[in-house]
Amino acid sequence: MASASICPVYNPSHLDTQRFWDRELVRERPAIDVPVGLPKNIASPLAWKGADIASKEPEWKLDLTDEEVVMVEKALLGFEFKFQDLSKLSASTFELPTEFSQRLRKLSDQLYNGVGFQIIHGLDPTKYTARQNMIMYAGISAHICPQRGFVDVFGKAVIAHIVNVQASKDDPKSTAPAFTNVPLSFHTDNCEIMAFFYLDTALEGGQTVLSSIWQTYNELAAERPDVLHTLTQPWVLDTFKPVSLQPPRHVRPLQRVDSDKLPILFRFSRYPITGFQRGRNPELPEPTTAQQEAADCIQFRAAKNSITLPVVKGDILLVNDMALFHAREAFDDGGIPMKRHLVKMYMRDPEQGWEIPLSIMENEWKTSYTPNQPDGTRVETWDVAYKPGIEELSMLNG
């Protein structure tokens, strides 16, 4: 039986939220310090509250001018004329005028040293084919973060389609929360820079929500250092996949990193703890009460400090996945199968990226950013359009 002090379900209710904060109001601060080697506070522009940055849109949104959209279309045509293989996409093959390219390149500074996310607004995906949309998406992104990552468990695909696969009676009834229309709890994807291209948005709801990991850490360090101790211990996370495809993950959600730029490595998802439509593997050890309580502390604090993004159809969003949690509102597609359609990619900027020892990175990160061929090269698969079943190959699903 679940403890009365925890919320055992993936999607907490408003009542669960109120109960959590009622308990926190009367809780005494534990008489312990943060774990040895971890900071007591992280002072950084990446440690923010949503209420403080909501009015600072110029820091996190770039509106493309009509002239720049024309430049993007010329770069698209130029790439199509010279190349068939989409893996050839780069800043040099998706040719933009120098001034515009530099304007995009500067967005990397905001991703790694500013607020940690950027919205690029101004494209209309209805004007282009599915393949052309992918070329523009990856081409623009390459001017910001030159390196692409793999998004599937095999380390082959560079595109993931985020759609509600339960949109009709014939679609699967058991899946991960990312591929339904329910709210997504706050989580990370174990990549460096995560990107979404909003091919279409929902009829109602479905907005992306962000929250600072480092702000959550600071609050836990000040008020709940016991939770930080729990997070530095080993956890067993279910992947809800066959062991041959993706075995359970043995991780420490919070780790120290010997880096001037990255004070902590904090990776988290509520889904492997609570399950969703698929329950946790009964052969795995059950999450402890302390782990479930830690999951609640992360969820409710992240929600308190979050910002709901004003993204619309055609927007590109880039998020520093090592500094920000992301979540999603519930949505209604109005009976239109898979109307809301996001395309996810993993990226990084080798020049700006934080140096992280591979020894402490989870297998998903290594699979994303290291070569997938014995000779040290990379071969990429581009699923330009959604195909039923490919969602099951995503590394992490909410």
Side-chain angles (χ1 to χ4, degrees):
M1 181 178 294
S3 167
S5 64
I6 60 175
C7 173
V9 298
Y10 176 75
N11 283 315
S13 66
H14 292 297
L15 181 58
D16 292 324
T17 303
Q18 185 61 53
R19 286 173 175 168
F20 172 83
W21 288 113
D22 287 346
R23 290 192 298 269
E24 290 297 292
L25 283 175
V26 299
R27 186 191 299 274
E28 294 185 6
R29 187 190 186 281
I32 58 174
D33 205 345
V34 300
V36 175
L38 292 182
K40 293 185 178 181
N41 184 77
I42 302 173
S44 168
L46 289 164
W48 47 255
K49 296 181 180 180
D52 295 332
I53 66 167
S55 62
K56 300 178 180 180
E57 189 172 288
E59 294 185 20
W60 44 262
K61 186 178 181 185
L62 174 66
D63 291 306
L64 299 178
T65 65
D66 292 342
E67 291 78 11
E68 287 170 337
V69 172
V70 172
M71 295 174 190
V72 169
E73 292 174 337
K74 288 183 177 178
L76 163 66
L77 294 175
F79 180 87
E80 287 186 308
F81 180 75
K82 295 180 181 179
F83 304 98
Q84 288 295 320
D85 184 359
L86 298 189
S87 65
K88 299 295 184 182
L89 276 162
S90 68
S92 61
T93 61
F94 192 81
E95 300 180 60
L96 295 173
T98 301
E99 184 176 351
F100 182 24
S101 175
Q102 291 175 345
R103 187 159 115 96
L104 292 172
R105 187 76 180 101
K106 289 180 180 178
L107 300 186
S108 180
D109 293 332
Q110 284 286 17
L111 293 173
Y112 286 94
N113 306 304
V115 295
F117 68 97
Q118 289 292 299
I119 297 172
I120 302 171
H121 172 73
L123 296 179
D124 178 2
T126 64
K127 295 171 59 179
Y128 316 101
T129 67
R131 188 173 187 275
Q132 288 175 328
N133 275 316
M134 295 307 102
I135 293 172
M136 291 189 298
Y137 175 26
I140 290 171
S141 300
H143 285 265
I144 305 166
C145 293
Q147 184 179 355
R148 284 187 294 273
F150 298 114
V151 298
D152 68 323
V153 295
F154 296 127
K156 295 180 179 180
V158 294
I159 288 176
H161 295 266
I162 310 301
V163 292
N164 176 16
V165 302
Q166 297 182 339
S168 74
K169 65 179 182 180
D170 297 324
D171 286 313
K173 302 306 178 199
S174 177
T175 187
F179 304 105
T180 68
N181 63 348
V182 304
L184 291 189
S185 295
F186 287 93
H187 63 283
T188 60
D189 260 43
N190 288 347
C191 65
E192 191 155 321
I193 301 297
M194 181 194 68
F196 286 136
F197 184 26
Y198 294 76
L199 288 182
D200 204 351
T201 53
L203 186 67
E204 182 178 354
Q207 293 298 92
T208 300
V209 187
L210 301 179
S211 188
S212 167
I213 293 176
W214 293 4
Q215 177 64 28
T216 295
Y217 175 89
N218 286 343
E219 292 188 7
L220 292 175
E223 302 167 17
R224 295 296 308 272
D226 57 313
V227 170
L228 298 185
H229 282 268
T230 299
L231 292 168
T232 59
Q233 299 303 309
W235 292 42
V236 180
L237 306 181
D238 201 343
T239 66
F240 308 99
K241 293 183 175 71
V243 173
S244 60
L245 192 60
Q246 189 181 23
R249 296 160 56 218
H250 296 258
V251 303
R252 297 175 188 267
L254 176 62
Q255 299 183 67
R256 174 187 175 184
V257 182
D258 292 321
S259 169
D260 294 336
K261 295 181 179 180
L262 183 65
I264 59 170
L265 184 63
F266 192 165
R267 324 298 285 147
F268 189 77
S269 171
R270 188 178 180 87
Y271 176 38
I273 302 303
T274 64
F276 178 56
Q277 294 178 349
R278 296 166 177 166
R280 270 179 62 100
N281 185 341
E283 296 183 3
L284 298 179
E286 291 188 5
T288 66
T289 299
Q291 289 172 340
Q292 291 175 304
E293 189 172 5
D296 286 352
C297 285
I298 294 169
Q299 170 66 22
F300 295 120
R301 278 179 168 77
K304 174 174 66 73
N305 296 318
S306 65
I307 179 173
T308 301
L309 301 183
V311 289
V312 298
K313 183 175 181 176
D315 284 354
I316 295 173
L317 168 67
L318 294 96
V319 177
N320 186 327
D321 191 64
M322 292 188 170
L324 306 184
F325 295 118
H326 62 282
R328 180 190 73 202
E329 295 177 346
F331 65 90
D332 181 2
D333 270 343
I336 304 172
M338 303 187 188
K339 180 182 185 304
R340 185 182 188 271
H341 190 166
L342 277 58
V343 179
K344 181 167 70 175
M345 296 184 74
Y346 290 164
M347 300 164 186
R348 71 184 300 265
D349 181 353
E351 293 183 11
Q352 295 264 30
W354 296 318
E355 294 185 3
I356 306 167
L358 283 178
S359 60
I360 71 169
M361 295 307 297
E362 295 178 34
N363 288 334
E364 289 79 12
W365 196 97
K366 297 174 187 176
T367 299
S368 286
Y369 295 112
T370 53
N372 63 353
Q373 299 297 305
D375 62 358
T377 60
R378 289 166 52 96
V379 174
E380 298 177 342
T381 299
W382 291 72
D383 294 309
V384 170
Y386 169 76
K387 300 174 184 176
I390 63 174
E391 68 278 355
E392 292 297 325
L393 301 180
S394 293
M395 290 187 202
L396 298 155
N397 305 313

